[in-house]
Amino acid sequence: MLRVEERSFFLQLVGLQFENDLVKSKPSIEPFPPLTSRLISHTPNLKFDIKVWFLGTLFLSAIAANGCQPRFVNPPSNSTSSFTSNSTMMAEKRILKIMPLGDSITDGYFVPGGYRIDLWQHLTERGYAIDFVGSQRNGSEGLPDRDHEGHSGWRIEEIHQRIREWLARSQPDLILLLIGTNDMAQGYGVETAPDRLDALIEEIWTQLPNVRLFVASIPPIGEPVLNGRVIDYNRAIAKLVKQKQTEEKAIVFVDLYDILSLDDLPDGVHPNREGFRKIAKVWDEALQGAIVPKE
């Protein structure tokens, strides 16, 4: 038989209300075998002590089964990573892959790395998480990520012929498309160049439906006749992009023509260091809002 002190301890641990609630909630369960019931029916104090012992055992077993740590329906106010939603974690860890796509201006004629040098610096200094992607690689010491898809001398259709394999390999999230200068300079199908650009854009979306396209006008050309072609082509690009925007396509027109002068083009076609800085700044402004900060 339990002493008075031991009985008091179990009463404090379990509580009389707990005993009453448990008995009421389990009316069909007989907690003791028949022989024990007959024994304690002749010893009232023993009956009380065994009931307290039984309830205390149940209570302690429940604590052991559920562990000693509390459970929260909602995360505690000081919780961090263990209660962070998947979408938030993805945003924190997400690195956007950017494909610089085009001809020698993307490659960096005169200045290895071209506009990519300053664009990388602009984006990373503000905490953006980016990765330049492509099958080509070049750049100066100031450009740690030198991947790109710029091909010197290539026209629109030549880019189109290889775009599937490049996209399959790199899987970019964003594409910076600057193409058409060689079509204009070579006089290659000038009138139908916008149609070829349209076909290239549609091919990109066929391969990667969710990719975001930033399509730029091409820089001026020093020779007046050729520059007249450039002006007409750039107008067609802006019109094409606007049309696709009305179709709710993820595409942006980026005007590079107006920010460059002939002083920025030593050979009348390719930008110098200052010209590439200007191009990088315009790309950077267009990309703001399209990239989530790293933090």
Side-chain angles (χ1 to χ4, degrees):
M1 180 180 299
L2 294 176
R3 297 192 303 272
V4 174
E5 295 81 11
E6 294 171 328
R7 182 184 307 167
S8 176
F9 169 78
F10 278 113
L11 286 173
Q12 293 176 16
L13 179 65
V14 180
L16 291 175
Q17 186 61 45
F18 179 86
E19 177 188 1
N20 293 335
D21 291 343
L22 181 64
V23 173
K24 291 178 182 178
S25 63
K26 301 289 185 179
S28 61
I29 299 178
E30 185 179 1
F32 308 107
L35 180 61
T36 307
S37 297
R38 290 196 297 272
L39 175 63
I40 65 176
S41 64
H42 295 87
T43 55
N45 290 335
L46 180 62
K47 177 179 179 180
F48 178 82
D49 290 335
I50 291 178
K51 288 180 69 178
V52 171
W53 168 83
F54 177 75
L55 293 174
T57 302
L58 286 179
F59 181 74
L60 294 174
S61 298
I63 292 176
N66 288 278
C68 296
Q69 298 296 326
R71 295 183 179 181
F72 297 94
V73 176
N74 296 313
S77 58
N78 62 346
S79 66
T80 53
S81 58
S82 62
F83 290 94
T84 303
S85 66
N86 291 336
S87 59
T88 302
M89 293 175 65
M90 289 178 65
E92 290 175 350
K93 297 179 180 180
R94 179 70 159 143
I95 298 178
L96 285 182
K97 294 189 289 184
I98 301 176
M99 174 181 281
L101 176 62
D103 48 37
S104 57
I105 299 175
T106 298
D107 175 72
Y109 194 87
F110 285 146
V111 182
Y115 69 76
R116 293 177 283 116
I117 301 171
D118 291 278
L119 180 58
W120 170 267
Q121 293 174 354
H122 291 327
L123 295 175
T124 55
E125 284 174 359
R126 285 203 306 277
Y128 291 116
I130 64 167
D131 176 23
F132 285 153
V133 297
S135 63
Q136 305 298 297
R137 183 175 175 82
N138 77 329
S140 66
E141 292 182 359
L143 180 61
D145 187 347
R146 303 179 181 181
D147 299 328
H148 66 95
E149 208 64 79
H151 300 266
S152 294
W154 284 37
R155 300 186 302 267
I156 299 169
E157 67 174 15
E158 293 172 304
I159 296 293
H160 192 166
Q161 290 169 2
R162 300 288 300 278
I163 194 62
R164 288 188 182 184
E165 63 182 89
W166 297 336
L167 296 180
R169 172 183 172 179
S170 297
Q171 295 289 309
D173 301 295
L174 308 175
I175 295 177
L176 310 182
L177 179 58
L178 173 55
I179 192 67
T181 295
N182 292 303
D183 297 73
M184 301 300 107
Q186 298 171 19
Y188 182 84
V190 173
E191 299 297 328
T192 56
D195 296 331
R196 296 195 297 278
L197 179 64
D198 186 15
L200 171 60
I201 290 172
E202 291 300 326
E203 180 65 32
I204 289 172
W205 278 330
T206 297
Q207 302 305 314
L208 294 177
N210 296 321
V211 74
R212 298 191 65 177
L213 270 171
F214 293 77
V215 183
S217 59
I218 63 175
I221 294 179
E223 202 283 318
V225 174
L226 298 182
N227 196 55
R229 297 174 183 173
V230 170
I231 292 172
D232 291 340
Y233 175 65
N234 284 339
R235 287 173 179 164
I237 295 176
K239 182 178 179 180
L240 177 64
V241 170
K242 186 175 182 179
Q243 174 187 338
K244 293 187 180 302
Q245 288 174 336
T246 63
E247 300 169 2
E248 299 185 352
K249 297 293 183 66
I251 189 169
V252 175
F253 175 71
V254 182
D255 188 10
L256 300 182
Y257 181 91
D258 288 338
I259 56 105
L260 296 170
S261 69
L262 293 181
D263 292 337
D264 300 317
L265 309 167
D267 63 353
V269 177
H270 300 97
N272 56 18
R273 186 71 181 90
E274 181 59 28
F276 280 126
R277 285 194 182 98
K278 292 180 180 180
I279 293 175
K281 185 176 184 296
V282 176
W283 280 129
D284 178 43
E285 291 171 353
L287 287 169
Q288 290 186 38
I291 307 179
V292 178
K294 194 174 185 179
E295 70 245 10

